[in-house]
Amino acid sequence: MTPQHHKDRVIIIGGGIQGCAAAYFLAKRGQTVTLLEKDNIARHASGVNAGGVRRLGRDLAEIPLSLAAMDIWNHLSDEIGDAAMAFHPSFYVKVAIDEPGHIAGMARAEALQQAGFQHEVWLDETEIRKRIPCLARNISAKNMAGGEISGGLVVEGDGWAIPWRIVRGFADAAVRNGATITEHCHVESLKRQNNMWQIHTNAGDFEADIVVNCAGAWAADLARQSGEPDLPLTAYAPMLAVTERRPQILNAVMGILGHTLSLKQLDTGQFVIGGGVRADADIHQNEAGLSIPELATSMYRAAQLFPDIAHAKIIRCWSGIEGYMPDNLPVIGRGNQDGLVHGFGFSAHGFQLGPAVGEALADLVMGQQPRTSLAAFSPQRFSA
Ligand SMILES: Cc1cc2nc3c(=O)[nH]c(=O)nc-3n(C[C@H](O)[C@H](O)[C@H](O)COP(=O)(O)OP(=O)(O)OC[C@H]3O[C@@H](n4cnc5c(N)ncnc54)[C@H](O)[C@@H]3O)c2cc1C
């Protein structure tokens, strides 16, 4: 069989949220774009994450991008149609259960005010309890140093989404606007020749003016192969658990200041529990590990906030392969070589950013000014 040979202006590698959102924004602006995905759309981190649409607690450098993303989330049906119904805005709260958490929360609220950001506010205990009446009174147990809830940081309008539906929504919207998406297409080599990228895959050869590297935890391998300097990307497997259905008691997404926890209750009544707990990942075998003892620490914390959770059966645990950078900030920017743009390394908090990252990657491809500065995310920051 003669290998297929395709020619495009832009090839995106990776069908996670970043790649699909970039494909959508490029296609919407009339670019000829093909996305190549080695497995299925949303097969990895983007489809199996906790779906937290969270501005709360972002690194200061990431806040403008996160706010830009929220603008898109708030009008998502204009971009991806009915799939946007998979986003459930509510509010996000991180409560203080001990003195270090209280001090850190107050300091954070103050620092953000001083930096001119209004979205994170400190609410006292009475306000928090008014909004979440089922919250436990006395929090002191295994794995918890605390006692009483003394208040918390809140962001109105943050919430959660069913992640794979959102990613699929961007992919479908990209196709409606003229993009081509090819699944089960593994990019095996990538080289720049005669001012074009030559892309060799298991499903034929491709040629493009510009390559956008949205290959998640696999992205540094691709970058290296294309001749870029080494980028310090490490793969891990953040973990989650989901319970059986329980009566509705939680209308927010919750965390604890100074302790790792992410907790939400879906509209089915099920609790999704995780946040910050991770196992090993093997990118070559496509394998994400699971450590039940580690994950149990999140379950204990969740059950201390809401004693009912202690009675809820865990029905499934899982993890996904995610790429982390040493400074926990993503890599978003032009590579050293002509026609190469990177968008990866989201360090377990890239889902909420996705819509704005897709838009920014489209800007970079088209030589336009992104709506927020990407300086903190420069791929070159590690070689300086
Ligand atoms: C369990 C878990 C919980 C999380 N919770 C949250 C949360 O609540 N909120 C939040 O904001 N973020 C969260 N995250 C992080 C978020 O999911 C990721 O940051 C984000 O999905 C990364 O998107 P991506 O498109 O860069 O990567 P991915 O989704 O990994 O997509 C990259 C794609 O590239 C493909 N690919 C790789 N190499 C090749 C190749 N050579 N050829 C073709 N295709 C290739 C892969 O198959 C993959 O599908 C969580 C992550 C996990 C795993």
Side-chain angles (χ1 to χ4, degrees), residues 317-357:
C317 301
W318 72 96
S319 66
I321 303 176
E322 170 71 332
Y324 290 76
M325 304 310 297
D327 55 6
N328 283 319
L329 291 175
V331 168
I332 310 169
R334 295 195 179 86
N336 287 7
Q337 300 173 74
D338 283 348
L340 184 59
V341 175
H342 297 296
F344 64 85
F346 288 88
S347 311
H349 48 262
F351 178 64
Q352 186 270 347
L353 298 176
V357 173

Side-chain angles (χ1 to χ4, degrees), residues 222-298:
L222 275 174
R224 191 177 311 116
Q225 218 193 86
S226 71
E228 293 280 282
D230 274 355
L231 284 156
L233 177 74
T234 313
Y236 292 105
M239 300 180 286
L240 289 170
V242 65
T243 70
E244 62 180 350
R245 293 164 184 238
R246 304 294 292 182
Q248 286 287 348
I249 53 168
L250 177 60
N251 55 347
V253 187
M254 285 200 73
I256 302 177
L257 286 160
H259 301 266
T260 54
L261 174 71
S262 144
L263 171 66
K264 65 182 68 70
Q265 191 172 21
L266 305 180
D267 46 3
T268 56
Q270 294 167 285
F271 291 97
V272 177
I273 305 168
V277 280
R278 63 192 195 190
D280 292 335
D282 182 340
I283 55 168
H284 304 292
Q285 302 297 326
N286 248 4
E287 271 175 17
L290 207 54
S291 159
I292 300 295
E294 271 282 306
L295 193 48
T297 60
S298 298

Side-chain angles (χ1 to χ4, degrees), residues 13-18 36-39 44-46 48-52 58 185-187 214-216 218 222 238 240 320 322 346 348-352:
I13 306 174
I17 187 146
Q18 322 302 351
L36 309 177
E37 165 56 51
K38 69 179 168 56
D39 298 310
H44 293 287
S46 297
V48 303
N49 65 57
R58 296 255 165 204
C185 181
H186 190 158
V187 174
C214 290
W218 298 261
L222 275 174
L240 289 170
E322 170 71 332
F346 288 88
H349 48 262
F351 178 64
Q352 186 270 347

Side-chain angles (χ1 to χ4, degrees), residues 93-114:
V93 54
K94 275 194 168 200
V95 289
I97 56 148
D98 51 23
E99 203 183 339
H102 186 94
I103 292 169
M106 300 288 280
R108 166 85 181 175
E110 173 75 27
L112 286 205
Q113 290 288 328
Q114 278 183 7

